[in-house]
Amino acid sequence: MFVSWPILAFLGFGVFCIGAVVGSFLNVCIYRIPWQKSVIWPASHCPRCFGAISASDNVPILGWLALRGECRSCGLPISARYPLIEALVGFLFLGLYVVDVLLAPRDAFGQIPVASLATLAYHALFVALLVAATFIDYDLLIIPDEVTVTGMVLGLGLGAVAPWVRPEPSAASTILGGLGVGVVGLLVGSGLTAGVRSSFSFLLGREAMGFGDVTLMAMIGAFLGWQAAVLTFFLFPFFGLAHALWKLTKYVGKRLAGVESSSADREIPAGPYLSMAAVFLLFSWRWLWPNWAEGLFEMLHAIFWWLLGVNVGPLR
């Protein structure tokens, strides 16, 4: 069947709604997982009056607007962060729909290939895990294993079952090949981060990065492959630059005023910015890899082996 633009627009709206629903569930995960609480039971309720939130009030975004940001029973203000996260995930899913479906090659008569929908689902799952890790790390400076280890398993498993789903050049053609690419990505992502973490912790005399950042990078490598993991690690400081400057300004201001500073004035969660870098690559990889990143890796590959006195030719 020919897929017309009205149908594609309707599908896009559906993808946004699914993203908003996933965002609503992620709100529960972000709040409960760090405290080792079940994300299934009990149902969502007001923390002050313990009144259960009805199904109509629990509709993503619209429910908060209908309640005017207050509990229906006791009037306790409900943070605007909840609908904002729902909208964020909805728009991220919609963006993935554009990149993975609308801009992807079509079958005959404009049909959407199953592979494009599978890629969309794979990337949407990855983004959902990144959103959970981002807000938990921002709130508490931790990234729970329930998010990252689960992500590693899913990245390895789904990447093996559908070995073609990862972006080039990490796509594979066999289950074993897909599993191998995921394992290499996991090891490179975690190994690179662990090495930098250990080195800077030794030089600074204190922990430079949390171990959750290591497992987060392992998850990113498992989902996207080692090349994307390496680029994620070297791009993430640029996404955190504004936050770092704000922290530095605040720290210097306190020192000049003679106010004692705390460790919180110096700590910056890396997880949110690792996640931002990974999402940026996810959206731009289709153009970034052939137009820039592929040549960069070929050059680094040639330099590495030249330093070892070996001529192995370009990386392919």
Side-chain angles (χ1 to χ4, degrees):
M1 180 183 71
F2 178 78
V3 182
S4 63
W5 279 106
I7 294 177
L8 291 174
F10 179 77
L11 290 176
F13 176 73
V15 169
F16 174 84
C17 292
I18 292 172
V21 172
V22 171
S24 180
F25 176 68
L26 291 178
N27 277 323
V28 177
C29 295
I30 290 165
Y31 176 75
R32 296 187 184 184
I33 286 177
W35 305 108
Q36 302 294 307
K37 295 181 178 181
S38 170
V39 299
I40 301 174
W41 184 91
S44 298
H45 58 274
C46 174
R48 184 164 74 182
C49 69
F50 298 102
I53 299 177
S54 65
S56 60
D57 290 339
N58 214 20
V59 175
I61 305 173
L62 297 179
W64 186 89
L65 293 173
L67 291 171
R68 298 180 181 178
E70 295 180 349
C71 172
R72 186 179 293 277
S73 301
C74 68
L76 179 71
I78 302 173
S79 173
R81 174 169 137 165
Y82 295 111
L84 288 176
I85 289 178
E86 293 164 355
L88 170 66
V89 179
F91 281 115
L92 286 173
F93 277 28
L94 181 60
L96 291 174
Y97 171 73
V98 172
V99 172
D100 292 335
V101 176
L102 295 188
L103 299 181
R106 301 280 185 83
D107 287 340
F109 306 108
Q111 292 177 323
I112 300 174
V114 175
S116 295
L117 298 177
T119 302
L120 170 62
Y122 181 77
H123 288 162
L125 174 62
F126 177 55
V127 165
L129 291 165
L130 291 177
V131 169
T134 291
F135 285 97
I136 293 173
D137 196 21
Y138 185 81
D139 289 341
L140 303 171
L141 295 178
I142 61 170
I143 304 178
D145 290 343
E146 288 85 349
V147 176
T148 54
V149 175
T150 301
M152 291 181 216
V153 173
L154 291 172
L156 292 176
L158 295 175
V161 173
W164 39 263
V165 78
R166 293 190 183 93
E168 292 294 340
S170 295
S173 56
T174 64
I175 292 178
L176 188 59
L179 179 61
V181 168
V183 170
V184 171
L186 185 153
L187 293 176
V188 171
S190 60
L192 175 62
T193 312
V196 172
R197 173 178 180 262
S198 299
S199 300
F200 277 87
S201 296
F202 175 77
L203 293 173
L204 297 174
R206 59 184 177 85
E207 190 175 83
M209 297 180 74
F211 191 74
D213 300 320
V214 177
T215 58
L216 179 62
M217 279 298 300
M219 183 185 82
I220 292 171
F223 264 94
L224 302 182
W226 73 268
Q227 293 91 343
V230 170
L231 283 179
T232 296
F233 188 79
F234 286 103
L235 285 176
F236 94 89
F238 296 99
F239 288 89
L241 185 59
H243 191 179
L245 290 174
W246 176 75
K247 282 277 187 175
L248 179 61
T249 302
K250 185 178 178 181
Y251 175 75
V252 172
K254 282 190 173 184
R255 292 297 297 269
L256 292 176
V259 179
E260 184 178 355
S261 61
S262 65
S263 60
D265 295 321
R266 300 186 299 270
E267 293 178 347
I268 299 176
Y273 305 110
L274 288 169
S275 298
M276 288 180 190
V279 170
F280 167 76
L281 291 175
L282 199 59
F283 281 105
S284 63
W285 194 262
R286 179 185 300 273
W287 304 276
L288 195 69
W289 176 255
N291 294 320
W292 174 72
E294 183 178 16
L296 174 65
F297 276 95
E298 286 187 353
M299 179 183 69
L300 295 176
H301 174 265
I303 291 173
F304 173 78
W305 287 109
W306 176 77
L307 292 172
L308 296 179
V310 179
N311 182 14
V312 294
L315 175 65
R316 292 297 178 189

